Amino acid sequence: ARPRNLQRVQHHSTTMTAAKVEETQMTLEAGIKVQVLHSIPPDDKEITEPPLVFIHGSFHAAWCWAEQYFDYFTSLGYPVAALSLRGTGGSFAGEGVTKIDLEEHVADVRSFLEHLPDVLGAGTASKFDNNGRPVLIAHSFGGLTVMKLLELHPEEIDNLAGVITMCSVPPSGNGP
C-alpha cells in the first residue's frame, strides 16, 4: 500500500524544440579561458523564469547538461548556461597544470556568475525573474564546488534564487 502522505505528481508534456546552444570562450578574473554553453528560450517563448546555471561533476563538462537538459528548460522559459570547470571539456587548466584546487573552481564559478548576464545576452537580464538571480544546479563534484562556494562566501546566497545539489561529493571527499 502506498503511504497516505504521498501525492501523485501530475506531469505535463511540453512541445520541445531544439534549443539553439551557443558556445562562448570566456576569460575569467584568474585569466583562465573557460568554455560556456548557453541558450535562451526561443523567440516565441517569453523569458519568465530565473536563469539556470549548471555545474558538472568529475569527468564531464558543460556538454552533459546541454545534451540532456537545455531543450527541456528553455521550452519552459528558462535561460540556461553550463560552465566547463577549469581543466575539463573546452576549458584550459594552464600550461603544465596537473592539479586544480577546489578553491580555484570556486573562484571560477564566482567569477562566471558575475558575468552571467553578459553571457546570456544584452537585454535579457532585465527580463529574468528574481531580479536576474540564477538557480545553481550541480552534480557530484560540481555540488561540492557549490557547497564550498557558499561556505567561503556565504553572502553569495543573496545573489541566488536557489541551489540544487544532486549526488554531491561530501566535504570529507570520496574515499577514506
Side-chain angles (χ1 to χ4, degrees), residues 106 130 135:
V106 167
N130 294 311
V135 175

mmCIF file of all heavy atoms in Angstrom, residues 106 130 135:
data_model
loop_
_atom_site.group_PDB
_atom_site.id
_atom_site.type_symbol
_atom_site.label_atom_id
_atom_site.label_comp_id
_atom_site.label_asym_id
_atom_site.label_seq_id
_atom_site.Cartn_x
_atom_site.Cartn_y
_atom_site.Cartn_z
ATOM 1 N N VAL A 106 35.971 27.206 -7.180
ATOM 2 C CA VAL A 106 35.053 28.139 -6.514
ATOM 3 C C VAL A 106 35.233 29.546 -7.088
ATOM 4 O O VAL A 106 34.251 30.218 -7.427
ATOM 5 C CB VAL A 106 35.281 28.134 -4.981
ATOM 6 C CG1 VAL A 106 34.584 29.312 -4.318
ATOM 7 C CG2 VAL A 106 34.801 26.819 -4.379
ATOM 8 N N ASN A 130 13.147 36.987 -10.576
ATOM 9 C CA ASN A 130 14.010 37.039 -9.389
ATOM 10 C C ASN A 130 15.168 38.011 -9.563
ATOM 11 O O ASN A 130 16.269 37.773 -9.090
ATOM 12 C CB ASN A 130 14.553 35.646 -9.037
ATOM 13 C CG ASN A 130 13.473 34.709 -8.602
ATOM 14 O OD1 ASN A 130 12.662 35.053 -7.756
ATOM 15 N ND2 ASN A 130 13.421 33.540 -9.204
ATOM 16 N N VAL A 135 19.496 30.137 -10.468
ATOM 17 C CA VAL A 135 19.423 28.914 -9.680
ATOM 18 C C VAL A 135 20.642 28.091 -10.084
ATOM 19 O O VAL A 135 20.851 27.836 -11.272
ATOM 20 C CB VAL A 135 18.132 28.122 -9.975
ATOM 21 C CG1 VAL A 135 18.142 26.789 -9.237
ATOM 22 C CG2 VAL A 135 16.898 28.937 -9.616
#
